[in-house]
Amino acid sequence: MTVILQVEDLHVSFKTYGGQVKAVRGVSFCLHKGETLAVVGESGCGKSVTSQSIMGLLPAYTSEITNGRILFGGSDLASMDDRSMRKIRGADISMIFQDPMTALNPTMTIGRQMTEGIMEHRKLSKQQAKAKALEMMKLVSIPNAELRMKQYPHEFSGGMRQRIVIAMALVCEPQILIADEPTTALDVTIQAQILELFKDIQKKTGVSIILITHDLGVVASVADRVAVMYAGKIIEEGTKRDIFYRPHHPYTQGLLHSVPRLDDEAKELLPIPGTPPDLFAPPIGCAFASRCPHAMVVCGKLYPGSREVAKGHYADCWLLDERAKVLHR
Ligand SMILES: Nc1ncnc2c1ncn2[C@@H]1O[C@H](COP(=O)(O)OP(=O)(O)OP(=O)(O)O)[C@@H](O)[C@H]1O
Ligand code: SF4
Ligand SMILES: [Mg+2]
């Protein structure tokens, strides 16, 4: 499988009044052509900061990529200047945010916003750009597209607005689409329709998708592979089947337990007890140690590092060390 994006040992920090927040602490993963990689984890674990790093959208004065590379098309996006990054953003790599209203300009018709977006990146006449916009509106199944192009964002329902945002993200035929919680603001039926739309678009265009979510139902529906994040690191990565049926990291196991099952009598969410660590002073060992039911002395002292538990399935946990297995048998 062709690797289209490779993130290597990414570290991102923020300067705040309280000190330096180490938000992303050594994230590595790759994205293959035409696949959907889901990035999951609790609030604050660094999902959005990772995607902002790829898009070159980190706040200019308060953030710093202190280490790592983001390789795309022969360039390192982590060290790219603003001007070059602007050419890639929206054209080769596009992003969809949680709230469609923030991505749309309420003062302009949808048609004008889309046409201007296309003409910013492509040398097309206004007429050609309009035709492209119309094609994209049809791709995301917006009925009466010609008429709808003349309307303003507030004239659309939430689900339709998200379809428009997706259409706008696709107008320049990007190779990568990053969607950060794209369905969280929508009700369940509309959410299912948007997820179907993602699958459909991927089939038609071959775009590679990074889908950020804390909803394992969304992951189950659309992901090929899954990266589980905890306290600024990816602690487990594998295919959807690996993660759902053979989770190896106690945090992933906890996440899966926290989802209610239809056949469960209690039908209650079982949150993982405890809270994630303070990222001003992250632990030197495993960051999950204070919440982990299997923690050993070594866990608080040394980071376990990544181990391959099956082909393409990795987890960072001391339980996977041969010597620990003897103790736990
Ligand atoms: N602009 C910023 N300034 C300071 N700290 C920030 C900034 N943006 C993010 N952080 C911190 O970085 C960490 C990771 O944040 P991030 O937004 O990536 O989390 P997330 O996994 O996307 O969470 P959520 O599920 O709530 O969206 C958090 O501790 C957050 O407080
Ligand atoms: S390394 Fe230790 S504390 Fe961390 S998840 Fe594994 S067993 Fe638990
Ligand atoms: Mg986020």
Side-chain angles (χ1 to χ4, degrees):
M1 259 185 154
T2 318
V3 171
I4 189 159
L5 180 84
Q6 177 112 34
V7 178
E8 289 178 359
D9 200 25
L10 182 71
H11 286 71
V12 184
S13 292
F14 290 98
K15 284 179 228 128
T16 71
Y17 288 116
Q20 202 187 36
V21 183
K22 296 183 182 72
V24 170
R25 308 185 297 127
V27 160
S28 301
F29 67 88
C30 64
L31 178 68
H32 299 116
K33 195 166 167 34
E35 77 169 347
T36 297
L37 173 73
V39 179
V40 294
E42 281 168 307
S43 184
C45 69
K47 305 181 294 293
S48 294
V49 173
T50 302
S51 61
Q52 285 159 6
S53 313
I54 299 169
M55 291 295 287
L57 287 175
L58 288 168
Y61 300 108
T62 53
S63 67
E64 190 187 357
I65 294 183
T66 53
N67 190 51
R69 302 195 299 170
I70 302 169
L71 303 173
F72 172 73
S75 308
D76 177 13
L77 306 184
S79 57
M80 192 173 264
D81 62 82
D82 241 21
R83 217 165 131 229
S84 318
M85 198 61 225
R86 235 176 285 143
K87 277 192 199 141
I88 289 181
R89 191 165 53 229
D92 298 306
I93 308 180
S94 250
M95 186 149 177
I96 297 166
F97 298 91
Q98 176 177 344
D99 178 9
M101 252 343 226
T102 57
L104 296 169
N105 182 340
T107 68
M108 265 194 224
T109 62
I110 294 299
R112 187 163 161 211
Q113 293 185 50
M114 288 185 79
T115 317
E116 287 188 0
I118 297 169
M119 288 165 74
E120 206 178 295
H121 288 289
R122 289 180 142 198
K123 286 194 183 74
L124 292 180
S125 70
K126 204 166 171 185
Q127 225 37 47
Q128 288 169 320
K130 257 191 191 162
K132 187 82 207 161
L134 199 59
E135 184 192 323
M136 287 302 140
M137 295 274 277
K138 285 180 182 162
L139 180 72
V140 299
S141 307
I142 292 183
N144 300 323
E146 281 95 344
L147 189 76
R148 295 299 239 167
M149 298 261 285
K150 294 183 188 128
Q151 292 185 314
Y152 289 86
H154 68 267
E155 296 177 78
F156 291 81
S157 66
M160 278 296 158
R161 261 182 237 147
Q162 193 60 305
R163 281 177 193 267
I164 290 164
V165 170
I166 295 170
M168 284 175 72
L170 291 170
V171 281
C172 292
E173 293 165 12
Q175 298 178 57
I176 299 172
L177 189 63
I178 302 177
D180 194 348
E181 305 277 5
T183 58
T184 314
L186 306 171
D187 70 48
V188 181
T189 337
I190 308 291
Q191 177 172 330
Q193 290 170 4
I194 296 289
L195 293 176
E196 273 311 309
L197 177 64
F198 274 114
K199 282 194 249 179
D200 189 38
I201 286 168
Q202 191 162 52
K203 230 185 265 161
K204 285 181 184 152
T205 65
V207 67
S208 309
I209 300 176
I210 298 177
L211 182 81
I212 295 169
T213 179
H214 57 256
D215 184 338
L216 289 169
V218 170
V219 178
S221 159
V222 294
D224 297 306
R225 284 193 308 125
V226 185
V228 184
M229 283 191 77
Y230 188 77
K233 288 176 182 285
I234 291 177
I235 50 87
E236 185 156 8
E237 184 189 333
T239 62
K240 181 164 67 182
R241 289 189 152 263
D242 289 337
I243 300 298
F244 277 88
Y245 297 129
R246 297 174 289 276
H248 275 64
H249 196 287
Y251 175 65
T252 315
Q253 292 165 355
L255 266 189
L256 290 162
H257 271 126
S258 71
V259 179
R261 288 168 45 145
L262 283 178
D263 54 358
D264 251 2
E265 285 201 354
K267 288 195 184 68
E268 269 177 19
L269 274 172
L270 295 170
I272 305 169
T275 49
D278 181 1
L279 293 177
F280 283 107
I284 45 169
C286 171
F288 192 55
S290 65
R291 302 169 79 184
C292 179
H294 311 291
M296 299 169 277
V297 174
V298 66
C299 303
K301 309 273 182 203
L302 283 173
Y303 192 73
S306 184
R307 287 173 172 81
E308 189 169 29
V309 292
K311 196 168 182 318
H313 181 183
Y314 300 88
D316 298 11
C317 176
W318 279 115
L319 292 175
L320 302 171
D321 188 289
E322 281 301 319
R323 294 158 289 181
K325 274 190 204 157
V326 175
L327 289 176
H328 278 263
R329 247 173 228 150

